[in-house]
Amino acid sequence: MAGGGADADGEGPSAELEGEAAVACEALRLLRIEPEPSAVGPGAGRAGCAAPCSRNVLRKRRRWERVLAARRRKRRQERERRRARRAEGAGVAGRDGGRAPAALAKERLLEARVSGPRLCVDLGVADGMSQKETSRLASQIRRLYGANRQAEKPFWLCLTEFVVGSLIYEECFRMNDGFSNYLMDTTQESYLDLFPLDAIVYLTPDSENVLEDIDPNKVYVLGGLVDESIHKKLTLQRAQEQSLQTARLPILFDVLSTYYETRSWPTALKAGVSAGKGYVLPDAVK
C-alpha cells in the first residue's frame, strides 16, 4: 500500500502509519521477535505484509490477555466460594460427600478449562511413527486423560495438530472408548497459532531448565512421541526453532499433576515414583 504524502507539520496518513509501525515493533519486542528492517521507519506502510502481520500478532495477544483476565476473575471467585464452603462447615462437607465422583471430576475439569493451566499434546511430531507406535501413543493419551481427570487440581488438556483422518486420529477413536466425550480440546491448529510465544513452555527431557513451578498463565506443551520414536533432542530442536521457552519435566505427568496440587516436589516424587526404582529424597538420607 502506498504511504501517501504528509502535511508539513507531520500529520496525515504517513504519520498514522508510523504510529502503527511503532506499536507493531513494541509488540514484536515483547514477543522476543526481531522485526525485519522493512517493518520500521517511515516506509513501513509500504512493506506490504508488515502491517497485517503486526495486527495479527496484536490481535492474538489481546485475545490471550482477555483469557488471562477471565481466568484471574474465575480464580478470585473460586477462592471466595471455597472460603464460603469452609465457613459453612460440616453441612457443605455432607453435601459434597453425597455427590458422585464422576460429577465432581467433571466439575473440576470445567473449572480447569476456565482458570487452570493448559497442557497441550503436540501431535505435529507424530507423523513419522509406525502403526504400533501410534497405537501406543493413543493409549498414552487415554492414560494422560484418565490421570488428569482424577486429579484434585487438573490441567485443561488440548490435542493440537489433531488432523481429521490422520493415523493418530483414527487410533484414538478406535482404541479409546468414549473418546468423543473426553472433556478436553482437540484442534487441527498448532499451539503456535493459538497462544502467544512467550506464554508457551515446551516440556522436553533435553532442556537445561528444570521445571520448578506451575504458572497457571502459561501453556505447557508435551511432544506426542513414544519411547521407540524419540530421537535425541528432537523436541528440544523443535522448540528452539520456534523460539519457545523450554523446561525439563521431572519424570512423569503424575508427578507434575501431584506437584500442581500439593506444591511439594518430595510429595510429588513419592507419589509418582515407586520405591523399587531406587529414588531417594535428599532429606531421607541420614
Side-chain angles (χ1 to χ4, degrees), residues 32 65-66 106-107 130 150 154 197 213 271:
R32 298 184 177 88
E65 288 173 350
R66 288 195 296 270
K106 181 178 180 179
E107 180 181 305
S130 67
Q150 296 302 317
L197 291 181
D213 201 1

Side-chain angles (χ1 to χ4, degrees), residues 48 86 102 217:
R86 286 196 295 267
N217 295 328

Side-chain angles (χ1 to χ4, degrees), residues 165-180:
S166 64
L167 185 56
I168 185 60
Y169 180 93
E170 300 295 340
E171 286 300 284
C172 281
F173 279 93
R174 183 183 70 85
M175 299 185 62
N176 302 336
D177 292 339
F179 181 80
S180 60

Side-chain angles (χ1 to χ4, degrees), residues 115-117 153-155 214 216 255-264:
S115 59
K153 293 181 65 176
F155 291 73
I214 306 298
V255 174
L256 181 67
S257 177
T258 304
Y259 174 76
Y260 180 47
E261 178 182 342
T262 64
R263 298 290 173 172
S264 166

